[in-house]
Amino acid sequence: MVNYLVTGANRGIGLEFIRQILHRGERVVACCRNPERAIALNTLASVHDNDRLVICKLDVMQATAIASLPELLKKKGILIDVLIPNAGVAAASERLGLIQEETMLRVLHTNAISPMLLTQAFADHLQAPKRNAKIVCISSDLGSITYASDLTFGLSYGMSKAALNMGVKKLSSDLANRGIVLVAIHPGWVQTDMGGRYAHLTPTESTQAMLGVIDKLSIAQSGLFLDYRGQQVPW
Ligand SMILES: NC(=O)c1ccc[n+]([C@@H]2O[C@H](COP(=O)([O-])OP(=O)(O)OC[C@H]3O[C@@H](n4cnc5c(N)ncnc54)[C@H](OP(=O)(O)O)[C@@H]3O)[C@@H](O)[C@H]2O)c1
């Protein structure tokens, strides 16, 4: 059985990862900020084996909680094979004159810094190379400088995903030497609270495709920026 860990698992793409991983018969640690308010996750827990779905409180802005998580799981007898830093935030109204330090720091911290801290925290914990360990950071093509327009819209979000992509590239060799694959993946434009209802893909379509890509990841792909179909996205 493959053991996954997904952050931001209470809604959107994260929640869909949990549903599909459980449907495959695998085990998953579902991390979210407020487990007591995560109704959909708790409903899943009530119909699934306790052993296959473990709900865990994690605010990815809390570095100490990230650092202590691998040991906490180990003590419970859980060793992770596939880490999916998925939690993310976007910010509205960032035109010139409306750019705010606090917003930018929150977006950069959540989307770029936290996945790097998670990667570092789990580097020793992941069952590599015995179990084909993988770290899959959920990025966005809005972090692609090649695709970027010069509109201020999505300023801190685009910056944060570009920084995440750089982090993936930077850490990928060290992790590949340990037998761990590290990639950034763009899920497509997805119908979630963040993506909105006009998005092209349902969470089911996006997540199913991403799991197909994740299954086939090889160490040679470490450091790549892929989309949900497994195609490379320009930096
Ligand atoms: N939807 C799209 O079209 C799209 C496109 C490209 C990339 N993405 C990326 O895909 C990922 C998932 O997005 P989504 O569409 O599912 O967004 P979403 O529906 O807005 O869900 C975001 C998730 O992240 C969690 N989160 C935010 N800040 C957190 C924190 N500090 N600690 C823990 N969890 C936190 C949220 O938890 P709370 O409920 O507690 O807020 C929620 O579970 C993100 O990284 C996003 O950037 C999405």
Side-chain angles (χ1 to χ4, degrees):
M1 197 185 298
V2 180
N3 297 332
Y4 295 77
L5 185 148
V6 181
T7 65
N10 56 307
R11 60 190 168 96
I13 292 169
L15 177 63
E16 188 56 31
F17 266 124
I18 306 304
R19 283 202 186 99
Q20 293 195 27
I21 290 165
L22 289 172
H23 185 69
R24 289 164 151 228
E26 312 287 8
R27 182 186 293 144
V28 64
V29 177
C31 296
C32 60
R33 284 197 266 212
N34 295 300
E36 62 290 348
R37 279 194 258 144
I39 295 166
L41 267 185
N42 286 310
T43 305
L44 282 174
S46 68
V47 295
H48 281 91
D49 193 342
N50 254 350
D51 187 43
R52 287 207 301 117
L53 173 57
V54 175
I55 302 174
C56 185
K57 185 175 174 70
L58 180 69
D59 181 334
V60 300
M61 299 273 280
Q62 294 183 351
T64 48
I66 288 178
S68 57
L69 185 57
E71 195 53 35
L72 199 120
L73 295 175
K74 205 168 167 187
K75 280 190 183 142
K76 288 185 180 175
I78 303 169
L79 288 174
I80 302 300
D81 304 297
V82 181
L83 173 68
I84 307 183
N86 161 78
V89 285
S93 307
E94 284 186 297
R95 292 188 308 280
L96 270 185
L98 293 175
I99 298 167
Q100 289 181 340
E101 181 189 22
E102 195 188 331
T103 306
M104 296 195 89
L105 288 173
R106 182 172 57 87
V107 175
L108 283 160
H109 192 164
T110 309
N111 295 357
I113 297 170
S114 301
M116 294 299 103
L117 295 179
L118 275 159
T119 298
Q120 173 172 266
F122 276 89
D124 288 335
H125 170 106
L126 287 168
Q127 302 187 70
K130 194 174 59 162
R131 299 270 305 221
N132 202 7
K134 294 159 190 172
I135 304 175
V136 179
C137 296
I138 305 302
S139 185
S140 170
D141 66 354
L142 294 175
S144 162
I145 292 174
T146 307
Y147 287 165
S149 74
D150 54 4
L151 296 174
T152 329
F153 173 78
L155 176 72
S156 55
Y157 185 77
M159 284 174 64
S160 71
K161 294 296 188 179
L164 170 63
N165 294 345
M166 176 63 88
V168 165
K169 182 75 184 171
K170 285 281 186 190
L171 293 184
S172 61
S173 296
D174 279 356
L175 287 161
N177 289 338
R178 295 166 180 240
I180 302 168
V181 183
L182 171 64
V183 295
I185 190 162
H186 164 56
W189 186 21
V190 189
Q191 292 157 18
T192 62
D193 292 338
M194 187 185 287
R197 64 192 162 123
Y198 298 114
H200 297 146
L201 298 169
T202 63
T204 309
E205 290 164 339
S206 165
T207 308
Q208 213 161 43
M210 285 195 283
L211 281 171
V213 173
I214 294 168
D215 285 344
K216 293 192 204 118
L217 281 176
S218 71
I219 209 84
Q221 289 172 292
S222 236
L224 294 186
F225 179 20
L226 303 170
D227 72 10
Y228 63 100
R229 297 159 299 192
Q231 288 167 3
Q232 262 185 266
V233 183
W235 296 112

